[in-house]
Amino acid sequence: HAATDVQTLLKLAKTGAEVRATACTKMNERSSRSHSILIIEVSQKAVMQKKGDVEEEVYTSKNSRVYLVDLAGSERVTKSGATDPLRFQELTRINQSLTTLSRVIETLSDNATVNADKPKLPPYRESMLTWLLVDAFGGNSKTTMLATVSPAQSNAAETHSTLRYASRTRKIINQALVNE
């Protein structure tokens, strides 16, 4: 969908949040059962006049994309209580996409440090999530990760895993340039 003003953008974001799949699990009363990705494309266009022998109009534009991603959390079957086949399949797909995302992040962080001279290709195509985020991770981008963790002792393993995930993300090095 296209939004030409902030109000339309906020309305689209609200609609997306309303249709997002959630369900009650043993771990969370309102657990995300899907990942959510909002991609905002911003284009700034300008007309410049050059003075000299001949007056000429020059059109320029700067383009950028902002990816706002809310990932469904990884859950263990026994802790979440996902016993019915539909919930189990849902949980399996979420965990598979998060595992692939983790492998992409690991490959990119290794390419920035260990494999700098012979970088490996991240497994972007192994998950719809990573395929949609390929532009956000590689090359001409800046990536910021916000990690939400639980202070509860019962979620210590998940919190530790999330912090490791975020730590690896910090090692990714990209060279962001202005697109004109």
Side-chain angles (χ1 to χ4, degrees):
H1 300 326
T4 56
D5 58 76
V6 175
Q7 292 297 5
T8 306
L9 177 66
L10 292 174
K11 184 178 175 184
L12 289 170
K14 183 179 179 186
T15 302
E18 288 171 352
V19 298
R20 185 169 186 193
T22 60
C24 181
T25 67
K26 285 183 181 177
M27 292 180 71
N28 192 341
E29 187 177 309
R30 194 161 178 258
S31 179
S32 298
R33 307 316 307 149
S34 62
H35 304 306
S36 175
I37 303 172
L38 174 63
I39 303 170
I40 303 169
E41 293 187 26
V42 180
S43 184
Q44 178 185 32
K45 297 178 181 177
V47 178
M48 298 168 36
Q49 300 262 333
K50 284 191 173 180
K51 296 198 178 188
D53 293 350
V54 179
E55 215 170 279
E56 177 182 340
E57 286 187 352
V58 177
Y59 297 91
T60 63
S61 70
K62 293 180 184 178
N63 304 298
S64 65
R65 277 190 195 139
V66 177
Y67 293 80
L68 301 175
V69 181
D70 185 7
L71 300 173
S74 176
E75 293 180 357
R76 292 192 179 107
V77 174
T78 53
K79 284 184 83 174
S80 69
T83 53
D84 75 76
L86 182 63
R87 290 283 175 239
F88 180 76
Q89 185 179 40
E90 193 175 68
L91 187 129
T92 302
R93 287 186 179 154
I94 289 169
N95 288 345
Q96 284 176 337
S97 67
L98 291 173
T99 299
T100 303
L101 178 60
S102 180
R103 290 179 42 232
V104 166
I105 290 169
E106 187 174 340
T107 302
L108 290 171
S109 64
D110 284 351
N111 286 348
T113 54
V114 180
N115 304 325
D117 54 336
K118 290 185 178 180
K120 292 182 180 177
L121 185 64
Y124 293 120
R125 294 183 181 193
E126 292 180 18
S127 162
M128 179 61 75
L129 173 67
T130 53
W131 184 245
L132 288 171
L133 297 176
V134 68
D135 289 340
F137 280 117
N140 190 18
S141 65
K142 289 187 179 184
T143 303
T144 302
M145 180 179 191
L146 300 175
T148 305
V149 296
S150 171
Q153 183 62 36
S154 61
N155 295 328
E158 287 83 359
T159 296
H160 188 254
S161 174
T162 300
L163 292 174
R164 273 197 327 269
Y165 210 78
S167 178
R168 282 196 313 253
T169 304
R170 288 185 62 191
K171 294 176 184 175
I172 298 171
I173 299 173
N174 290 326
Q175 302 290 324
L177 304 171
V178 176
N179 294 328
E180 289 193 68

